[in-house]
Amino acid sequence: MVVFEDLFIESKGEPIIYNGREIFLVDTIPVEHGEQLRLVMEEFNGAYLQGVSVTLAGILHVDDCHYKKGVTFWQEISPLDNVMRVDFKPGIRIKYLKKNKLEIHNVWDSGNGICHFGHNGSAMYKEEIPNGFRYFCNDGEPDDDFDDLIFRIERLGVQGDEE
């Protein structure tokens, strides 16, 4: 059994190499004001409710909803295919989030209503695809199959302000 949490504690949260692959707890990708991203949840093989949490020092627009700091997409609650628009309005500053960066976490709910991430067997890796990345995720179970959640994020381009 692999407890990635121990390896990430040793690395102080930095990515590590495991079986020849770079794995990490959180991914960060650069984004621009007005950029549109498509998040598609492709596969769920974990024992728990799986999700993707995206955060940034700004606002994410998804359909007619506006999320300051970010939003979590859950497999049984959210649409599996979502388009997000990044909005960096002046004056929005959040100390723990980096400006112009989107943070991506895989999350899970083990049945107690709590959003878990980053502990026990949690880890993920990504592969580059046209216009984005595909993510392969482990939830908190101590294994290394990286198939509890598979999702992708695609860049769709930059749009002007609509509001």
Side-chain angles (χ1 to χ4, degrees), residues 18-94:
Y18 178 79
N19 285 345
R21 200 176 256 140
E22 181 180 60
I23 64 169
F24 43 88
L25 287 172
V26 177
D27 193 27
T28 304
I29 60 172
V31 291
E32 299 178 46
H33 176 75
E35 185 167 5
Q36 289 192 332
L37 303 162
R38 181 176 179 212
L39 185 146
V40 179
M41 292 189 277
E42 297 177 342
E43 288 186 41
F44 311 98
N45 297 299
Y48 307 126
L49 177 67
Q50 304 291 318
V52 179
S53 178
V54 291
T55 57
L56 81 162
I59 298 170
L60 282 172
H61 301 276
V62 181
D63 295 326
D64 293 330
C65 298
H66 314 287
Y67 301 96
K68 185 177 178 182
K69 298 189 279 185
V71 61
T72 299
F73 299 96
W74 292 101
Q75 78 182 75
E76 294 178 356
I77 301 165
S78 307
L80 300 181
D81 190 332
N82 298 275
V83 174
M84 306 174 283
R85 185 171 55 84
V86 174
D87 187 351
F88 294 117
K89 293 202 183 303
I92 295 177
R93 292 179 38 183
I94 301 157

Side-chain angles (χ1 to χ4, degrees), residues 69-145:
K69 298 189 279 185
V71 61
T72 299
F73 299 96
W74 292 101
Q75 78 182 75
E76 294 178 356
I77 301 165
S78 307
L80 300 181
D81 190 332
N82 298 275
V83 174
M84 306 174 283
R85 185 171 55 84
V86 174
D87 187 351
F88 294 117
K89 293 202 183 303
I92 295 177
R93 292 179 38 183
I94 301 157
K95 290 182 183 181
Y96 61 90
L97 295 173
K98 297 175 184 164
K99 185 170 172 66
N100 299 336
K101 303 281 185 186
L102 185 73
E103 289 188 0
I104 303 155
H105 309 253
N106 68 300
V107 298
W108 67 94
D109 177 347
S110 58
N112 58 7
I114 297 172
C115 180
H116 295 271
F117 73 95
H119 61 86
N120 294 336
S122 180
M124 62 182 168
Y125 71 89
K126 68 182 179 184
E127 292 180 349
E128 197 164 338
I129 60 171
N131 299 317
F133 300 98
R134 178 167 284 114
Y135 293 84
F136 299 84
C137 307
N138 256 15
D139 57 22
E141 290 295 312
D143 59 38
D144 61 358
D145 53 18

